[in-house]
């Protein structure tokens, strides 16, 4: 009788009722601008001032089918980001390019086929499925930035811990809140700067840009694409749901929670800001972090949004046999096709 569960339930119910009333009064295209404004507010203040990228090449390695570069560039004052860039061999013209966002784990190396120490991973790929490698093999240039809080970009206090188990998400999130910032906002901001860098490369076709994110990387892919129209096609893996069905139903990493946003939009509406651009949702039917019923509810909401945008054919989904993992069985080829259209 003393637990606050009912209080939290009533909070959600009251906000949901308000949103339903607004939806009944307005078409999505009428609400879209307001939702975007509220998302920007929820992300908190972002780094100010213009900082040159100042990119540098750290290393370059030849693989059988592609070249791997490790680069670094500035995103804001006192912030630099390392990233792997995978380039198909024998490009004859500008190629489509994809921003690839890893989830919780040991960082960008996990999606480019490397071990935490940078050596080649010869074993079976884990839940990330080395998905950046799968994309470059389909003819796309891929950039895999190291998300702040993971791998080489953890706080110094966390750097001696096992990178497969320890991130700096909680420490960064809680400290940034004191300055009116959110870790999600900083990550989305850096995603846009990573796109600035990607577009500075001569091999990249600026009109054919996509992004793909897994789990927490799905949040970065979704929200950066929602706010940046330069991204034309998006794949979200193991992320799409409603707030009630996932983030409010169980404990997730604190970096997923955005202050005040639920008063104005549920997660499918935030993802819906991508419309009418191309969007592919994939999720494992046995994923306990993003349960199937919640995924299906979110897809229904997204179908309404895309229908209102007269773009339903640009929304695709694959609910595959699996748990909290990336699949790619349909999404890799879908993304390649969309960026070649």
């Amino acid at each position: 009788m003393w637990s606050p569960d009912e209080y939290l339930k009533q909070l959600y119910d009251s906000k949901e009722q308000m949103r339903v009333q607004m939806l009944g009064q307005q078409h999505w295209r009428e609400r879209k601008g307001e939702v975007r404004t509220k998302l920007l507010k929820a992300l908190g203040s972002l780094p100010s001032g213009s900082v040159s990228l100042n990119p540098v090449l750290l290393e370059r390695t030849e693989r059988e089918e592609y070249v791997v570069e490790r680069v670094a560039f500035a995103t804001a004052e006192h912030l630099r980001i390392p990233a792997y860039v995978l380039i198909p061999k024998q490009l004859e013209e500008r190629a489509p390019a994809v921003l690839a966002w890893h989830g919780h784990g040991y960082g960008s190396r996990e999606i480019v086929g490397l071990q935490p120490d940078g050596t080649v991973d010869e074993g079976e790929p884990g839940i990330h499925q080395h998905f950046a490698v799968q994309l470059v093999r389909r003819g796309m240039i891929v950039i895999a930035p190291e998300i702040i809080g993971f791998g080489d970009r953890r706080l110094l206090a966390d750097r001696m811990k096992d990178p497969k188990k320890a991130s700096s998400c909680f420490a960064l999130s809680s400290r940034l809140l004191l300055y009116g910032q959110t870790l999600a906002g900083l990550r989305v901001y850096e995603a846009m700067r990573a796109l600035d860098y990607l577009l500075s490369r001569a091999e990249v076709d600026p009109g054919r840009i996509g992004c793909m994110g897994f789990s927490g990387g799905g949040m970065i892919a979704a929200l950066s694409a929602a706010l940046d129209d330069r991204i034309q096609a998006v794949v979200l893996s193991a992320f799409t749901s409603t707030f009630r069905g996932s983030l409010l139903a169980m404990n997730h990493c604190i970096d997923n929670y955005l202050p005040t946003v639920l008063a104005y939009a549920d997660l499918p509406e935030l993802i819906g800001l991508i419309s009418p651009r191309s969007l592919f949702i994939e999720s494992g039917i046995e994923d306990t972090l993003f349960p199937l019923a919640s995924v299906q509810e979110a897809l229904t909401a997204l179908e309404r949004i895309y229908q209102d945008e007269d773009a339903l054919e640009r929304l695709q989904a694959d609910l595959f046999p699996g748990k909290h993992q990336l699949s790619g069985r349909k999404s890799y080829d879908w993304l390649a096709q969309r960026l070649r259209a």
Side-chain angles (χ1 to χ4, degrees):
M1 64 181 292
W2 310 113
S3 70
D5 297 69
E6 186 61 26
Y7 175 74
L8 290 176
K9 179 180 182 298
Q10 290 302 317
L11 271 179
Y12 186 94
D13 288 344
S14 63
K15 300 304 180 185
E16 183 177 41
Q17 185 176 6
M18 289 174 55
R19 290 193 306 274
V20 169
Q21 290 174 348
M22 286 189 292
L23 284 170
Q25 298 167 0
Q26 291 179 300
H27 289 290
W28 166 251
R29 280 181 282 191
E30 296 172 335
R31 289 194 61 231
K32 190 175 182 180
E34 180 185 12
V35 172
R36 186 181 190 278
T37 299
K38 298 302 185 183
L39 172 58
L40 280 168
K41 180 180 178 181
L43 289 172
S45 61
L46 302 176
S48 59
S50 178
V51 175
S52 174
L53 290 167
N54 290 323
V56 296
L57 175 64
L58 302 176
E59 60 185 62
R60 192 173 193 273
T61 306
E62 296 272 344
R63 298 276 191 262
E64 183 177 349
E65 301 172 76
Y66 56 94
V67 175
V68 181
E69 292 184 355
R70 198 172 198 221
V71 302
F73 49 89
T75 57
E77 190 172 1
H78 306 301
L79 282 176
R80 288 184 66 81
I81 181 169
Y84 288 98
V85 181
L86 282 58
I87 308 160
K89 286 188 174 180
Q90 299 164 338
L91 287 179
E92 297 180 355
E93 57 184 7
R94 284 187 164 191
V98 177
L99 296 122
W101 299 105
H102 62 82
H104 283 69
Y106 58 83
S108 56
R109 292 183 177 94
E110 194 161 2
I111 65 175
V112 300
L114 300 176
Q115 295 278 9
D117 62 2
T119 58
V120 175
D121 184 359
E122 302 286 2
E124 286 294 316
I127 59 175
H128 284 81
Q129 294 295 309
H130 299 168
F131 76 87
V133 176
Q134 298 301 322
L135 296 176
V136 74
R137 285 174 173 164
R138 286 164 170 79
M140 294 170 279
I141 297 168
V142 185
I143 183 170
E146 190 90 300
I147 298 171
I148 188 168
F150 295 101
D152 293 339
R153 300 192 73 205
R154 291 175 294 166
L155 294 169
L156 291 176
D158 297 320
R159 289 292 298 275
M160 297 305 294
K161 301 174 184 176
D162 183 352
K164 294 183 178 181
K165 300 177 181 178
S167 73
S168 295
C169 293
F170 182 84
L172 284 167
S173 294
S174 55
R175 294 169 195 183
L176 286 170
L177 286 175
L178 295 173
Y179 303 99
Q181 297 187 27
T182 66
L183 185 54
L186 183 56
R187 287 174 174 172
V188 169
Y189 172 83
E190 288 203 318
M192 295 178 181
R193 293 292 283 159
L195 179 50
D196 291 340
Y197 167 76
L198 192 59
L199 292 176
S200 74
R201 296 189 61 115
E203 318 98 308
V204 171
D205 183 341
R208 295 188 290 166
I209 301 297
C211 69
M212 182 170 184
F214 168 69
S215 192
M219 182 192 70
I220 299 171
L223 300 188
S224 60
L227 298 173
D228 198 326
D229 289 342
R230 295 176 295 177
I231 299 171
Q232 292 301 306
V234 182
V235 176
L236 303 181
S237 181
F239 173 71
T240 303
S241 61
T242 62
F243 282 129
R244 169 175 269 174
S246 181
L247 296 184
L248 295 179
M250 64 198 78
N251 291 331
H252 280 262
C253 182
I254 193 173
D255 56 14
N256 289 288
Y257 297 85
L258 303 178
T260 75
V261 75
L262 198 47
Y264 307 100
D266 206 334
L267 185 54
E269 294 172 287
L270 300 182
I271 297 171
L273 291 171
I274 297 169
S275 65
R277 289 165 288 151
S278 297
L279 174 63
F280 192 100
I281 305 297
E282 68 168 28
S283 195
I285 60 176
E286 299 174 57
D287 189 337
T288 57
L289 295 178
F290 296 91
L292 178 61
S294 179
V295 176
Q296 292 172 325
E297 185 180 354
L299 281 171
T300 298
L302 283 165
E303 287 169 359
R304 288 195 297 265
I305 288 172
Y306 271 77
Q307 184 71 57
D308 199 35
E309 294 266 18
D310 296 322
L312 190 56
E313 74 283 355
R314 297 179 188 167
L315 175 65
Q316 299 290 324
D318 180 29
L319 303 181
F320 60 89
K323 299 181 180 180
H324 188 65
Q325 61 195 82
L326 191 140
S327 168
R329 67 175 186 174
K330 295 182 180 179
S331 58
Y332 296 148
D333 291 336
W334 176 91
L335 187 56
Q337 186 275 328
R338 285 290 171 173
L339 294 181
R340 291 195 181 100

